[in-house]
Protein backbone atom coordinates (compact mmCIF):
# COMPACT_ATOMS: atom_id res chain seq x y z
CA UNK A 1 0.00 0.00 0.00
CA UNK A 2 1.47 3.32 -1.06
CA UNK A 3 0.67 7.00 -0.60
CA UNK A 4 0.06 7.33 -4.35
CA UNK A 5 -2.55 4.60 -4.32
CA UNK A 6 -4.33 5.44 -1.06
CA UNK A 7 -4.29 9.24 -1.22
CA UNK A 8 -3.97 10.12 -4.90
CA UNK A 9 -6.19 7.42 -6.39
CA UNK A 10 -8.74 6.58 -3.68
CA UNK A 11 -11.23 9.31 -2.72
CA UNK A 12 -11.98 7.67 0.64
CA UNK A 13 -8.26 7.28 1.37
CA UNK A 14 -7.68 10.92 0.43
CA UNK A 15 -10.43 12.13 2.74
CA UNK A 16 -9.27 9.95 5.65
CA UNK A 17 -5.69 11.17 5.20
CA UNK A 18 -6.93 14.77 5.22
CA UNK A 19 -8.93 14.12 8.40
CA UNK A 20 -5.94 12.46 10.03
CA UNK A 21 -3.74 15.45 9.23
CA UNK A 22 -6.33 17.97 10.33
CA UNK A 23 -7.25 16.28 13.61
CA UNK A 24 -4.19 14.28 14.70
CA UNK A 25 -1.29 16.02 12.96
CA UNK A 26 -2.25 19.66 12.28
CA UNK A 27 1.35 20.49 11.36
CA UNK A 28 0.79 18.51 8.13
CA UNK A 29 -2.41 20.34 7.14
CA UNK A 30 -0.50 23.24 5.61
CA UNK A 31 1.01 20.89 3.03
CA UNK A 32 -2.40 19.59 2.03
CA UNK A 33 -3.74 23.13 1.81
CA UNK A 34 -0.76 24.05 -0.38
CA UNK A 35 -1.53 21.12 -2.70
CA UNK A 36 -5.17 22.23 -2.89
CA UNK A 37 -4.24 25.78 -3.76
CA UNK A 38 -1.57 24.71 -6.26
CA UNK A 39 -4.18 22.50 -7.94
CA UNK A 40 -6.63 25.39 -7.95
CA UNK A 41 -3.91 27.47 -9.62
CA UNK A 42 -3.30 24.82 -12.30
CA UNK A 43 -6.97 24.58 -13.29
CA UNK A 44 -7.76 28.29 -13.03
CA UNK A 45 -8.71 30.29 -16.08
CA UNK A 46 -5.74 31.97 -17.74
CA UNK A 47 -6.87 35.46 -16.70
CA UNK A 48 -6.87 34.45 -12.99
CA UNK A 49 -3.72 32.35 -12.94
CA UNK A 50 -1.12 35.11 -12.45
CA UNK A 51 -3.02 36.57 -9.49
CA UNK A 52 -3.34 33.11 -7.95
CA UNK A 53 0.38 32.48 -8.49
CA UNK A 54 1.23 35.59 -6.49
CA UNK A 55 -1.19 34.58 -3.73
CA UNK A 56 0.26 31.06 -3.46
CA UNK A 57 3.83 32.41 -3.48
CA UNK A 58 3.03 34.91 -0.76
CA UNK A 59 1.09 32.54 1.45
CA UNK A 60 3.22 29.40 1.26
CA UNK A 61 6.66 30.53 0.12
CA UNK A 62 6.89 33.86 1.91
CA UNK A 63 7.76 35.69 -1.28
CA UNK A 64 7.26 39.43 -1.14
CA UNK A 65 5.12 39.48 -4.22
CA UNK A 66 3.31 42.81 -3.92
CA UNK A 67 6.40 44.93 -4.56
CA UNK A 68 7.58 42.57 -7.31
CA UNK A 69 4.34 43.23 -9.20
CA UNK A 70 4.55 46.98 -8.82
CA UNK A 71 7.27 48.81 -10.63
CA UNK A 72 7.32 51.58 -8.04
CA UNK A 73 10.39 50.02 -6.48
CA UNK A 74 9.72 51.01 -2.90
CA UNK A 75 7.63 50.57 0.17
CA UNK A 76 6.78 46.93 -0.32
CA UNK A 77 9.01 45.63 2.41
CA UNK A 78 11.38 43.85 0.03
CA UNK A 79 15.05 44.46 0.18
CA UNK A 80 18.13 42.42 -0.61
CA UNK A 81 16.73 39.36 1.14
CA UNK A 82 15.87 37.61 -2.12
CA UNK A 83 12.23 38.58 -2.32
CA UNK A 84 11.16 37.45 1.13
CA UNK A 85 8.83 39.67 3.16
CA UNK A 86 9.89 41.33 6.36
CA UNK A 87 7.59 42.21 9.25
CA UNK A 88 6.93 45.83 8.26
CA UNK A 89 5.99 45.09 4.67
CA UNK A 90 2.29 45.59 5.14
CA UNK A 91 1.75 42.42 3.12
CA UNK A 92 -0.35 39.55 4.29
CA UNK A 93 -2.63 41.54 6.54
CA UNK A 94 -5.52 39.49 7.75
CA UNK A 95 -7.11 38.28 4.56
CA UNK A 96 -6.17 35.49 2.22
CA UNK A 97 -7.54 34.56 -1.15
CA UNK A 98 -7.30 30.87 -1.64
CA UNK A 99 -8.05 27.55 -0.20
CA UNK A 100 -11.56 27.00 1.00
CA UNK A 101 -11.53 23.22 1.17
CA UNK A 102 -12.66 23.39 4.80
CA UNK A 103 -15.80 25.31 3.83
CA UNK A 104 -18.41 22.96 2.40
CA UNK A 105 -20.29 25.92 0.90
CA UNK A 106 -17.32 26.78 -1.31
CA UNK A 107 -15.83 23.87 -3.15
CA UNK A 108 -13.24 23.65 -5.88
CA UNK A 109 -15.79 22.29 -8.33
CA UNK A 110 -17.93 24.85 -10.04
CA UNK A 111 -15.81 27.91 -9.46
CA UNK A 112 -12.54 29.22 -10.76
CA UNK A 113 -13.04 32.50 -8.98
CA UNK A 114 -10.89 33.51 -6.07
CA UNK A 115 -12.67 33.53 -2.72
CA UNK A 116 -11.54 35.51 0.28
CA UNK A 117 -11.14 33.76 3.59
CA UNK A 118 -10.08 35.66 6.66
CA UNK A 119 -7.23 33.99 8.48
CA UNK A 120 -3.99 35.12 10.04
CA UNK A 121 -0.88 35.20 7.89
CA UNK A 122 1.51 33.16 9.99
CA UNK A 123 4.79 31.63 8.98
CA UNK A 124 3.44 28.23 10.00
CA UNK A 125 1.70 28.10 6.61
CA UNK A 126 5.01 28.11 4.76
CA UNK A 127 6.01 24.89 3.01
CA UNK A 128 9.56 26.01 2.31
CA UNK A 129 10.96 23.46 4.75
CA UNK A 130 10.37 20.69 2.17
CA UNK A 131 11.45 22.74 -0.87
CA UNK A 132 15.00 23.48 -1.85
CA UNK A 133 16.22 27.00 -2.59
CA UNK A 134 16.42 26.30 -6.32
CA UNK A 135 12.69 25.49 -6.46
CA UNK A 136 11.79 28.69 -4.67
CA UNK A 137 14.13 30.72 -6.90
CA UNK A 138 12.64 29.15 -10.03
CA UNK A 139 9.13 30.04 -8.89
CA UNK A 140 10.21 33.59 -8.06
CA UNK A 141 11.67 34.15 -11.52
CA UNK A 142 8.70 32.65 -13.40
CA UNK A 143 5.92 33.99 -11.18
CA UNK A 144 4.47 36.46 -13.66
CA UNK A 145 4.29 33.95 -16.53
CA UNK A 146 1.12 32.22 -15.37
CA UNK A 147 2.51 28.88 -16.57
CA UNK A 148 0.44 25.88 -15.50
CA UNK A 149 3.68 24.09 -14.58
CA UNK A 150 4.90 26.84 -12.22
CA UNK A 151 4.36 24.84 -9.01
CA UNK A 152 4.88 21.38 -10.51
CA UNK A 153 8.26 20.69 -8.84
CA UNK A 154 6.95 22.04 -5.54
CA UNK A 155 3.89 19.81 -5.71
CA UNK A 156 6.12 16.80 -6.35
CA UNK A 157 8.35 17.69 -3.38
CA UNK A 158 5.40 18.21 -1.03
CA UNK A 159 3.80 14.92 -2.12
CA UNK A 160 7.12 13.13 -1.58
CA UNK A 161 7.28 14.60 1.92
CA UNK A 162 3.70 13.56 2.71
CA UNK A 163 4.43 10.06 1.39
CA UNK A 164 7.16 9.69 4.00
CA UNK A 165 6.70 10.08 7.75
CA UNK A 166 3.18 11.61 7.58
CA UNK A 167 1.88 8.63 5.60
CA UNK A 168 3.63 6.14 7.92
CA UNK A 169 1.92 7.82 10.88
CA UNK A 170 -1.38 7.64 9.00
CA UNK A 171 -0.89 3.90 8.39
CA UNK A 172 -0.53 3.34 12.14
CA UNK A 173 -3.68 5.32 12.93
CA UNK A 174 -7.33 4.37 13.25
CA UNK A 175 -7.99 6.52 10.15
CA UNK A 176 -6.04 4.06 8.01
CA UNK A 177 -7.78 1.11 9.67
CA UNK A 178 -11.12 2.69 8.76
CA UNK A 179 -9.87 2.84 5.18
CA UNK A 180 -8.85 -0.82 5.16
Amino acid sequence: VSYGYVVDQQPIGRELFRQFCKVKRPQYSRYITFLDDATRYEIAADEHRVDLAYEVAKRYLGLCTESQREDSGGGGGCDSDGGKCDDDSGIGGDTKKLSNHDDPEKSLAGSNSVTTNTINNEKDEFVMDVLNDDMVAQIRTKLSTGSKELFEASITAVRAFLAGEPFREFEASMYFHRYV
Side-chain angles (χ1 to χ4, degrees), residues 113-165:
S113 65
V114 178
T115 307
T116 303
N117 286 339
T118 304
I119 56 175
N120 291 327
N121 178 23
E122 298 185 17
K123 290 187 178 186
D124 64 353
E125 289 189 319
F126 291 172
V127 296
M128 296 176 351
D129 55 333
V130 298
L131 306 179
N132 64 40
D133 291 338
D134 291 338
M135 284 183 202
V136 176
Q138 181 182 17
I139 290 169
R140 184 182 303 117
T141 59
K142 296 180 178 179
L143 204 51
S144 63
T145 65
S147 167
K148 284 187 177 187
E149 295 80 25
L150 179 64
F151 295 106
E152 197 170 83
S154 303
I155 290 169
T156 302
V158 169
R159 281 188 177 143
F161 169 75
L162 289 173
E165 186 63 26

Side-chain angles (χ1 to χ4, degrees), residues 83-101:
K84 298 231 173 21
C85 292
D86 54 24
D87 291 333
D88 63 348
S89 68
I91 294 172
D94 59 354
T95 59
K96 292 283 176 229
K97 296 176 184 173
L98 286 175
S99 188
N100 40 16
H101 73 283

Side-chain angles (χ1 to χ4, degrees), residues 9-123:
Q9 296 179 15
Q10 301 292 316
I12 293 171
R14 180 182 309 115
E15 186 58 33
L16 288 169
F17 184 71
R18 285 173 178 274
Q19 286 179 9
F20 166 76
C21 290
K22 186 176 182 180
V23 174
K24 296 294 186 182
R25 297 292 187 266
Q27 68 269 26
Y28 299 144
S29 289
R30 64 183 169 177
Y31 303 106
I32 291 172
T33 306
F34 168 76
L35 292 176
D36 291 342
D37 289 340
T39 299
R40 182 171 284 110
Y41 165 81
E42 288 177 342
I43 64 172
D46 291 343
E47 60 267 13
H48 298 292
R49 197 172 295 126
V50 172
D51 290 335
L52 284 172
Y54 280 98
E55 290 293 330
V56 170
K58 181 171 67 173
R59 182 173 181 182
Y60 299 104
L61 305 177
L63 298 181
C64 187
T65 58
E66 299 280 325
S67 65
Q68 288 176 351
R69 293 186 76 180
E70 298 171 4
D71 292 328
S72 63
C78 284
D79 47 27
S80 61
D81 64 356
K84 298 231 173 21
C85 292
D86 54 24
D87 291 333
D88 63 348
S89 68
I91 294 172
D94 59 354
T95 59
K96 292 283 176 229
K97 296 176 184 173
L98 286 175
S99 188
N100 40 16
H101 73 283
D102 291 331
D103 188 345
E105 297 291 319
K106 300 170 185 163
S107 66
L108 179 62
S111 174
N112 280 338
S113 65
V114 178
T115 307
T116 303
N117 286 339
T118 304
I119 56 175
N120 291 327
N121 178 23
E122 298 185 17
K123 290 187 178 186

